[in-house]
Coordinates of all heavy atoms in Angstrom, one line a residue:
E253 N 24.8 -137.9 6.9 CA 25.8 -139.0 6.7 C 26.8 -139.1 7.9 O 27.4 -140.1 8.1 CB 26.6 -138.9 5.4 CG 25.7 -139.0 4.2 CD 25.6 -140.4 3.8 OE1 26.6 -141.1 3.5 OE2 24.5 -140.9 3.7
R254 N 27.0 -137.9 8.5 CA 28.0 -137.8 9.6 C 27.5 -138.2 10.9 O 26.8 -137.4 11.5 CB 28.5 -136.3 9.6 CG 29.9 -136.1 9.2 CD 30.5 -134.9 9.7 NE 31.5 -135.2 10.7 CZ 32.7 -135.8 10.4 NH1 32.9 -136.1 9.1 NH2 33.6 -136.1 11.3
T255 N 27.9 -139.3 11.4 CA 27.5 -139.7 12.8 C 28.6 -140.3 13.5 O 29.6 -140.8 12.9 CB 26.3 -140.7 12.7 OG1 26.8 -141.8 11.9 CG2 25.1 -140.2 12.1
G256 N 28.6 -140.3 14.8 CA 29.6 -140.9 15.6 C 29.3 -142.3 16.0 O 28.3 -142.9 15.4
K257 N 30.0 -142.9 16.9 CA 29.7 -144.3 17.3 C 28.6 -144.4 18.3 O 28.1 -145.5 18.5 CB 31.0 -144.8 18.0 CG 32.0 -145.3 17.1 CD 33.1 -146.1 17.8 CE 34.0 -145.1 18.6 NZ 35.4 -145.6 18.8
G258 N 28.1 -143.2 18.8 CA 27.0 -143.3 19.8 C 27.3 -144.2 20.9 O 28.4 -144.2 21.5
E259 N 26.3 -145.0 21.3 CA 26.5 -145.9 22.5 C 27.3 -147.1 22.2 O 27.6 -147.9 23.1 CB 25.1 -146.3 22.9 CG 24.5 -147.3 22.0 CD 23.0 -147.4 21.9 OE1 22.4 -146.4 21.4 OE2 22.4 -148.4 22.4
Y260 N 27.7 -147.3 20.9 CA 28.4 -148.6 20.6 C 29.9 -148.5 20.8 O 30.5 -147.4 20.6 CB 28.1 -148.9 19.1 CG 26.7 -149.1 18.9 CD1 25.8 -148.1 18.4 CD2 26.1 -150.4 19.1 CE1 24.5 -148.3 18.2 CE2 24.8 -150.6 18.8 CZ 24.0 -149.5 18.4 OH 22.6 -149.7 18.2
A261 N 30.5 -149.6 21.1 CA 32.0 -149.6 21.3 C 32.7 -149.4 20.0 O 33.8 -148.9 20.0 CB 32.4 -151.0 21.9
Y262 N 32.2 -149.9 18.9 CA 32.8 -149.8 17.6 C 31.8 -149.5 16.6 O 30.6 -149.8 16.7 CB 33.5 -151.2 17.3 CG 34.7 -151.5 18.0 CD1 34.7 -152.3 19.1 CD2 35.9 -150.8 17.7 CE1 35.9 -152.6 19.9 CE2 37.1 -151.1 18.4 CZ 37.1 -151.9 19.5 OH 38.2 -152.2 20.2
F263 N 32.3 -148.9 15.5 CA 31.4 -148.6 14.3 C 30.9 -149.9 13.8 O 29.7 -149.9 13.3 CB 32.2 -147.8 13.2 CG 32.3 -146.4 13.5 CD1 33.5 -145.8 13.9 CD2 31.2 -145.5 13.3 CE1 33.6 -144.4 14.1 CE2 31.2 -144.2 13.6 CZ 32.4 -143.6 14.0
M264 N 31.6 -150.9 13.8 CA 31.1 -152.2 13.2 C 29.8 -152.6 13.9 O 28.8 -153.0 13.2 CB 32.1 -153.3 13.3 CG 31.6 -154.6 12.6 SD 32.8 -155.9 12.6 CE 31.8 -157.2 11.9
L265 N 29.8 -152.6 15.2 CA 28.6 -153.0 15.9 C 27.4 -152.1 15.6 O 26.3 -152.5 15.3 CB 28.8 -153.1 17.4 CG 27.7 -153.7 18.2 CD1 27.5 -155.2 17.8 CD2 28.0 -153.7 19.7
K266 N 27.7 -150.8 15.5 CA 26.7 -149.8 15.2 C 26.1 -150.1 13.8 O 24.9 -150.1 13.6 CB 27.3 -148.4 15.3 CG 26.4 -147.3 14.9 CD 27.0 -146.0 15.2 CE 26.1 -144.8 14.8 NZ 26.4 -144.3 13.4
E267 N 27.0 -150.4 12.9 CA 26.6 -150.6 11.5 C 25.8 -151.9 11.3 O 24.9 -152.0 10.5 CB 27.9 -150.5 10.6 CG 28.3 -149.0 10.5 CD 29.7 -148.8 10.0 OE1 30.4 -149.8 9.7 OE2 30.2 -147.6 10.1
I268 N 26.2 -152.9 12.2 CA 25.4 -154.1 12.2 C 24.0 -153.8 12.6 O 23.0 -154.2 12.0 CB 26.0 -155.2 13.1 CG1 27.3 -155.7 12.5 CG2 25.0 -156.3 13.4 CD1 28.1 -156.6 13.5
Y269 N 23.8 -153.0 13.6 CA 22.5 -152.6 14.1 C 21.7 -151.7 13.2 O 20.5 -151.6 13.3 CB 22.6 -152.0 15.5 CG 22.6 -153.0 16.6 CD1 23.7 -153.7 17.0 CD2 21.4 -153.3 17.2 CE1 23.7 -154.7 18.0 CE2 21.4 -154.3 18.2 CZ 22.5 -155.0 18.6 OH 22.5 -155.9 19.6
E270 N 22.5 -151.0 12.3 CA 21.8 -150.1 11.4 C 21.1 -150.8 10.2 O 20.5 -150.2 9.4 CB 22.8 -149.0 10.8 CG 23.1 -148.0 11.9 CD 24.2 -147.0 11.4 OE1 24.9 -147.3 10.4 OE2 24.5 -146.1 12.2
Q271 N 21.4 -152.1 10.1 CA 20.9 -152.8 8.9 C 19.4 -152.8 8.6 O 19.0 -152.6 7.4 CB 21.5 -154.3 8.9 CG 23.0 -154.2 8.6 CD 23.7 -155.6 8.7 OE1 24.0 -156.1 7.7 NE2 23.8 -156.1 9.9
P272 N 18.6 -152.9 9.6 CA 17.1 -152.8 9.3 C 16.8 -151.5 8.6 O 16.1 -151.5 7.6 CB 16.4 -152.9 10.6 CG 17.4 -153.7 11.5 CD 18.7 -153.2 11.0
D273 N 17.3 -150.4 9.1 CA 17.0 -149.1 8.5 C 17.7 -148.9 7.2 O 17.1 -148.4 6.2 CB 17.5 -147.9 9.5 CG 16.5 -147.7 10.6 OD1 15.4 -148.2 10.5 OD2 16.9 -147.1 11.6
A274 N 18.9 -149.4 7.1 CA 19.6 -149.3 5.8 C 18.9 -150.1 4.7 O 18.8 -149.6 3.6 CB 21.1 -149.9 6.0
M275 N 18.4 -151.2 5.1 CA 17.6 -152.0 4.1 C 16.3 -151.3 3.7 O 15.9 -151.2 2.5 CB 17.4 -153.4 4.6 CG 16.7 -154.2 3.5 SD 16.6 -156.0 3.9 CE 15.7 -156.6 2.5
R276 N 15.6 -150.8 4.8 CA 14.4 -150.1 4.5 C 14.6 -148.9 3.6 O 13.9 -148.7 2.6 CB 13.8 -149.5 5.9 CG 12.8 -150.4 6.4 CD 12.2 -149.9 7.7 NE 12.0 -151.0 8.6 CZ 12.6 -151.2 9.8 NH1 13.5 -150.3 10.2 NH2 12.3 -152.3 10.5
N277 N 15.6 -148.1 3.9 CA 15.9 -146.9 3.1 C 16.2 -147.3 1.7 O 15.8 -146.6 0.7 CB 17.1 -146.1 3.7 CG 16.8 -145.5 5.0 OD1 15.6 -145.4 5.3 ND2 17.8 -145.2 5.8
T278 N 17.0 -148.4 1.5 CA 17.3 -148.8 0.1 C 16.0 -149.2 -0.6 O 15.9 -148.9 -1.8 CB 18.3 -150.0 0.2 OG1 19.5 -149.5 0.9 CG2 18.7 -150.5 -1.2
L279 N 15.1 -149.9 0.1 CA 13.9 -150.3 -0.5 C 13.0 -149.1 -0.9 O 12.5 -149.0 -2.0 CB 13.1 -151.3 0.4 CG 13.7 -152.7 0.5 CD1 13.0 -153.5 1.6 CD2 13.6 -153.5 -0.9
M280 N 12.9 -148.2 0.1 CA 12.0 -147.0 -0.1 C 12.5 -146.2 -1.3 O 11.7 -145.6 -2.0 CB 12.0 -146.1 1.2 CG 11.5 -146.8 2.4 SD 9.8 -147.3 2.3 CE 9.0 -145.8 2.3
K281 N 13.8 -146.0 -1.4 CA 14.3 -145.1 -2.4 C 14.3 -145.8 -3.8 O 14.8 -145.2 -4.8 CB 15.7 -144.7 -2.1 CG 15.8 -143.8 -0.9 CD 16.5 -142.5 -1.2 CE 16.3 -141.6 0.0 NZ 17.4 -140.7 0.2
S282 N 13.9 -147.0 -3.9 CA 14.0 -147.8 -5.1 C 12.7 -148.1 -5.8 O 12.7 -148.9 -6.7 CB 14.8 -149.1 -4.8 OG 15.7 -148.8 -3.9
V283 N 11.7 -147.6 -5.2 CA 10.4 -147.9 -5.8 C 10.2 -147.2 -7.1 O 10.7 -146.1 -7.3 CB 9.2 -147.4 -4.8 CG1 7.9 -147.7 -5.4 CG2 9.4 -148.2 -3.5
G284 N 9.7 -147.9 -8.1 CA 9.5 -147.3 -9.4 C 10.3 -148.0 -10.5 O 11.3 -148.6 -10.1
V285 N 9.8 -147.9 -11.7 CA 10.4 -148.8 -12.7 C 11.8 -148.3 -13.1 O 12.5 -149.0 -13.7 CB 9.5 -148.8 -14.0 CG1 8.2 -149.6 -13.8 CG2 9.1 -147.4 -14.4
N286 N 12.1 -147.0 -12.8 CA 13.4 -146.5 -13.2 C 14.4 -146.5 -12.1 O 15.3 -145.7 -12.1 CB 13.2 -145.1 -13.8 CG 12.6 -145.1 -15.2 OD1 12.9 -146.0 -15.9 ND2 11.7 -144.2 -15.5
A287 N 14.2 -147.4 -11.1 CA 15.1 -147.4 -10.0 C 16.6 -147.6 -10.4 O 17.5 -147.2 -9.7 CB 14.7 -148.5 -9.0
F288 N 16.8 -148.2 -11.5 CA 18.2 -148.4 -12.0 C 18.6 -147.4 -13.0 O 19.6 -147.6 -13.7 CB 18.3 -149.9 -12.5 CG 18.3 -150.9 -11.4 CD1 17.1 -151.3 -10.9 CD2 19.5 -151.4 -10.8 CE1 17.0 -152.2 -9.8 CE2 19.4 -152.3 -9.8 CZ 18.2 -152.7 -9.3
G289 N 17.8 -146.4 -13.2 CA 18.2 -145.3 -14.1 C 17.1 -145.1 -15.1 O 16.4 -146.1 -15.5
P290 N 17.1 -143.9 -15.7 CA 16.0 -143.6 -16.7 C 16.1 -144.6 -17.9 O 17.2 -144.9 -18.3 CB 16.4 -142.2 -17.2 CG 17.2 -141.6 -16.1 CD 17.9 -142.8 -15.4
H291 N 15.0 -145.1 -18.3 CA 14.9 -146.0 -19.4 C 15.6 -147.4 -19.2 O 15.7 -148.2 -20.1 CB 15.5 -145.4 -20.7 CG 15.1 -144.0 -20.9 ND1 13.7 -143.7 -21.1 CD2 15.8 -142.8 -21.0 CE1 13.6 -142.4 -21.2 NE2 14.8 -141.8 -21.2
S292 N 16.0 -147.7 -17.9 CA 16.6 -149.0 -17.7 C 15.7 -150.2 -18.1 O 16.2 -151.2 -18.6 CB 17.1 -149.1 -16.3 OG 16.0 -148.8 -15.3
P293 N 14.4 -150.1 -17.9 CA 13.5 -151.2 -18.4 C 13.7 -151.6 -19.8 O 13.7 -152.7 -20.2 CB 12.1 -150.7 -18.1 CG 12.2 -149.7 -17.0 CD 13.5 -149.0 -17.3
R294 N 14.0 -150.5 -20.7 CA 14.2 -150.8 -22.1 C 15.4 -151.7 -22.3 O 15.5 -152.4 -23.3 CB 14.4 -149.5 -22.8 CG 13.0 -148.8 -23.1 CD 13.3 -147.7 -24.1 NE 12.5 -146.6 -23.7 CZ 12.7 -145.3 -24.0 NH1 13.8 -145.0 -24.7 NH2 12.0 -144.3 -23.6
I295 N 16.4 -151.5 -21.5 CA 17.6 -152.3 -21.6 C 17.3 -153.7 -20.9 O 17.7 -154.8 -21.5 CB 18.8 -151.6 -20.8 CG1 19.2 -150.4 -21.6 CG2 20.0 -152.6 -20.6 CD1 19.9 -150.7 -23.0
F296 N 16.7 -153.7 -19.8 CA 16.5 -154.9 -19.0 C 15.7 -155.9 -19.8 O 15.9 -157.1 -19.6 CB 15.9 -154.6 -17.6 CG 16.8 -153.9 -16.7 CD1 16.4 -153.4 -15.5 CD2 18.2 -153.8 -17.0 CE1 17.2 -152.8 -14.6 CE2 19.0 -153.2 -16.1 CZ 18.6 -152.6 -14.9
E297 N 14.8 -155.4 -20.6 CA 13.9 -156.3 -21.4 C 14.8 -157.2 -22.3 O 14.4 -158.3 -22.6 CB 13.1 -155.3 -22.3 CG 12.0 -155.9 -23.0 CD 11.3 -154.9 -23.9 OE1 11.6 -153.7 -23.7 OE2 10.6 -155.3 -24.9
H298 N 16.0 -156.7 -22.6 CA 16.8 -157.5 -23.6 C 17.9 -158.3 -22.9 O 18.7 -158.9 -23.5 CB 17.4 -156.6 -24.6 CG 16.4 -155.8 -25.4 ND1 15.6 -156.4 -26.3 CD2 16.0 -154.5 -25.3 CE1 14.8 -155.5 -26.8 NE2 15.0 -154.3 -26.2
V299 N 17.9 -158.3 -21.6 CA 19.0 -159.0 -20.8 C 18.7 -160.5 -21.0 O 17.7 -161.1 -20.6 CB 19.0 -158.7 -19.3 CG1 19.9 -159.6 -18.6 CG2 19.4 -157.2 -19.2
E300 N 19.8 -161.2 -21.5 CA 19.8 -162.7 -21.6 C 20.6 -163.3 -20.6 O 20.4 -164.4 -20.2 CB 20.3 -163.1 -23.0 CG 19.5 -162.5 -24.2 CD 18.1 -163.1 -24.2 OE1 17.9 -164.2 -23.8 OE2 17.2 -162.4 -24.7
Q301 N 21.7 -162.6 -20.2 CA 22.5 -163.2 -19.1 C 23.3 -162.0 -18.4 O 23.3 -160.9 -18.9 CB 23.4 -164.2 -19.6 CG 24.5 -163.8 -20.5 CD 25.5 -164.9 -20.8 OE1 25.8 -165.7 -19.9 NE2 26.0 -165.0 -22.0
L302 N 23.9 -162.4 -17.3 CA 24.6 -161.3 -16.5 C 26.0 -161.8 -16.2 O 26.3 -162.9 -16.0 CB 23.9 -161.2 -15.1 CG 23.0 -160.1 -14.9 CD1 21.7 -160.3 -15.6 CD2 22.7 -159.9 -13.4
H303 N 26.9 -160.8 -16.2 CA 28.3 -160.9 -15.7 C 28.4 -160.0 -14.5 O 28.2 -158.8 -14.7 CB 29.4 -160.6 -16.7 CG 29.5 -161.6 -17.7 ND1 30.4 -161.4 -18.8 CD2 29.0 -162.8 -17.9 CE1 30.3 -162.5 -19.6 NE2 29.5 -163.4 -19.1
I304 N 28.6 -160.5 -13.3 CA 28.8 -159.6 -12.2 C 30.2 -159.6 -11.7 O 30.8 -160.7 -11.5 CB 27.8 -160.0 -11.0 CG1 26.4 -160.2 -11.5 CG2 27.8 -158.8 -9.9 CD1 25.4 -160.5 -10.4
V305 N 30.8 -158.5 -11.4 CA 32.2 -158.3 -11.0 C 32.3 -157.5 -9.7 O 31.6 -156.5 -9.6 CB 32.9 -157.7 -12.2 CG1 34.4 -157.3 -11.8 CG2 33.0 -158.6 -13.4

Side-chain angles (χ1 to χ4, degrees):
E253 294 272 302
R254 244 202 114 68
T255 53
K257 276 189 288 207
E259 71 207 72
Y260 298 93
Y262 286 101
F263 277 107
M264 181 176 175
L265 189 60
K266 176 171 180 268
E267 288 160 4
I268 289 173
Y269 271 84
E270 283 171 352
Q271 288 177 107
D273 281 342
M275 182 168 180
R276 262 183 218 113
N277 292 341
T278 303
L279 287 170
M280 297 299 287
K281 292 236 172 146
S282 322
V283 177
V285 288
N286 286 323
F288 289 82
H291 313 303
S292 51
R294 279 192 222 155
I295 290 290
F296 289 171
E297 192 187 340
H298 301 290
V299 171
E300 299 295 331
Q301 66 170 327
L302 259 72
H303 286 173
I304 314 184
V305 170

